[in-house]
């Protein structure tokens, strides 16, 4: 089995593929720590993991600790994705190419590999990132702003009278009429800010890349945005698609 990891600052997203490669996902999940990952894998794939590839936005030391732990526990080597000025027909658009987050870079590479045309990639997670690619594969840059979780948590943390749980938050998102409770006002206000950002990115994409642009949505709130961009492609594992390109394994 092939283990793939997307190591963020707070969570690790993982999935396991058959050794012979292909798009079939055997299992996957999200964990909050290295130890949680090791326990989850040991309980489900004892002795079955063959190789690992990963992308990490953590420090080099933190990434090395995880790589060593996987080696010690399962006897597998890890291929770690690295920054590049160009990959698979895509050129990195940052002035200092190593400063572009590896997760964003791999999402850009993955998106372009699927379409080979101008693309807008919106990753809607804890933070929201947007990236623009023209039809020739040139990354034109992008934007970063707070996502729904950050906006909500900032209001909860810094405003004493804003207190409600996640179930109330989810219920409040079912409409965009003016809120008649604090939860409705906050959740719908954040949704409208998210929608405004998405609409602005669509307009900028047309200005930067022309009208023939494919929109990719990924991240935890991609489904929310999909209702506003019905023609968009929702691809939850876009980073993993780029990871496979950056770190090909023997036999694939």
């Amino acid at each position: 089995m092939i283990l793939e990891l997307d190591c963020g600052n707070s969570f690790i997203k993982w999935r396991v593929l058959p050794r012979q490669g292909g798009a079939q996902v055997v299992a996957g999940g999200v964990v909050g720590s290295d130890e949680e990952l090791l326990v989850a894998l040991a309980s489900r794939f004892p002795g079955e993991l063959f190789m690992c590839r990963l992308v990490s936005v953590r420090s080099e030391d933190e990434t090395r600790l995880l790589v060593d732990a996987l080696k010690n526990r399962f006897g597998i080597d890890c291929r770690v994705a690295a920054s590049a000025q160009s990959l698979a027909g895509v050129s990195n658009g940052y002035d200092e190419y190593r400063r572009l987050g590896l997760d964003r870079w791999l999402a850009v590479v993955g998106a372009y590999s699927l379409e080979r045309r101008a693309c807008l990639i919106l990753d809607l997670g804890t933070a929201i990132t947007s990236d623009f690619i023209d039809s020739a594969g040139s990354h034109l840059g992008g934007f970063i702003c707070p996502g729904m979780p950050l906006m909500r948590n900032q209001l909860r943390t810094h405003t004493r009278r804003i207190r409600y749980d996640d179930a109330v938050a989810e219920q409040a998102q079912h409409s965009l009429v003016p809120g008649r409770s604090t939860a409705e006002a906050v959740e719908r206000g954040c949704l409208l800010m998210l929608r405004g950002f998405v609409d602005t990115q669509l307009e900028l994409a047309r200005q930067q890349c022309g009208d023939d642009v494919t929109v990719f949505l990924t991240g935890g709130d991609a489904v929310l945005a999909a209702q506003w961009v019905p023609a968009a492609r929702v691809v939850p594992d876009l980073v993993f698609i780029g990871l496979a390109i950056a770190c090909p394994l023997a036999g694939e």
Side-chain angles (χ1 to χ4, degrees):
M1 300 286 185
I2 297 171
L3 172 65
E4 295 184 329
L5 302 176
D6 178 2
C7 304
N9 291 305
S10 301
F11 300 99
I12 301 173
K13 185 177 181 181
W14 64 273
R15 70 178 193 176
V16 172
L17 307 177
R19 180 170 176 172
Q20 65 271 23
Q24 179 187 359
V25 177
V26 177
V30 178
V31 293
S33 69
D34 293 1
E35 187 56 35
E36 283 184 52
L37 174 68
L38 297 175
V39 170
L41 295 174
S43 65
R44 302 186 67 174
F45 303 100
E48 297 180 50
L49 298 177
F50 162 70
M51 181 64 74
C52 171
R53 58 186 165 210
L54 67 85
V55 54
S56 175
V57 298
R58 299 173 169 190
S59 70
E60 290 185 9
D61 287 342
E62 289 174 314
T63 302
R64 189 179 303 111
L65 284 173
L66 176 57
V67 168
D68 290 345
L70 289 166
K71 175 72 172 180
N72 293 334
R73 182 72 68 92
F74 303 105
I76 58 174
D77 293 319
C78 294
R79 294 199 58 186
V80 182
S83 300
Q85 289 182 310
S86 63
L87 177 64
V90 181
S91 59
N92 192 315
Y94 261 31
D95 294 333
E96 299 179 52
Y97 74 90
R98 291 186 178 88
R99 303 290 293 178
L100 177 61
L102 272 170
D103 51 351
R104 286 176 63 194
W105 171 238
L106 294 185
V108 164
V109 170
Y112 191 73
S113 75
L114 295 176
E115 288 287 342
R116 295 288 171 181
R117 58 192 293 188
C119 300
L120 166 65
I121 299 98
L122 294 170
D123 188 339
L124 301 110
T126 303
I128 300 172
T129 62
S130 66
D131 286 284
F132 303 82
I133 315 170
D134 69 16
S135 58
S138 296
H139 174 234
L140 306 178
F143 297 93
I144 304 172
C145 73
M148 284 287 290
L150 278 180
M151 287 191 282
R152 178 190 299 121
N153 290 339
Q154 283 296 301
L155 285 169
R156 285 178 174 176
T157 301
H158 297 288
T159 308
R160 291 183 179 180
R161 292 183 178 272
I162 295 180
R163 296 289 185 272
Y164 56 89
D165 61 27
D166 291 341
V168 173
E170 183 177 355
Q171 183 63 34
Q173 293 177 10
H174 292 169
S175 171
L176 284 178
V177 302
R180 296 173 68 92
S181 70
T182 299
E184 290 179 352
V186 169
E187 291 300 317
R188 294 171 190 178
C190 291
L191 272 176
L192 287 172
M193 292 187 72
L194 175 61
R195 183 171 183 173
F197 180 83
V198 170
D199 288 344
T200 301
Q201 300 311 296
L202 295 174
E203 180 59 32
L204 285 171
R206 287 189 284 269
Q207 294 174 13
Q208 294 288 321
C209 307
D211 292 330
D212 192 19
V213 177
T214 298
V215 179
F216 286 89
L217 301 176
T218 191
D221 285 324
V223 174
L224 280 177
Q227 63 187 310
W228 309 320
V229 195
R233 292 187 61 174
V234 178
V235 185
D237 291 334
L238 197 54
V239 170
F240 284 135
I241 294 173
L243 177 61
I245 296 171
C247 300
L249 302 177
E252 289 189 300

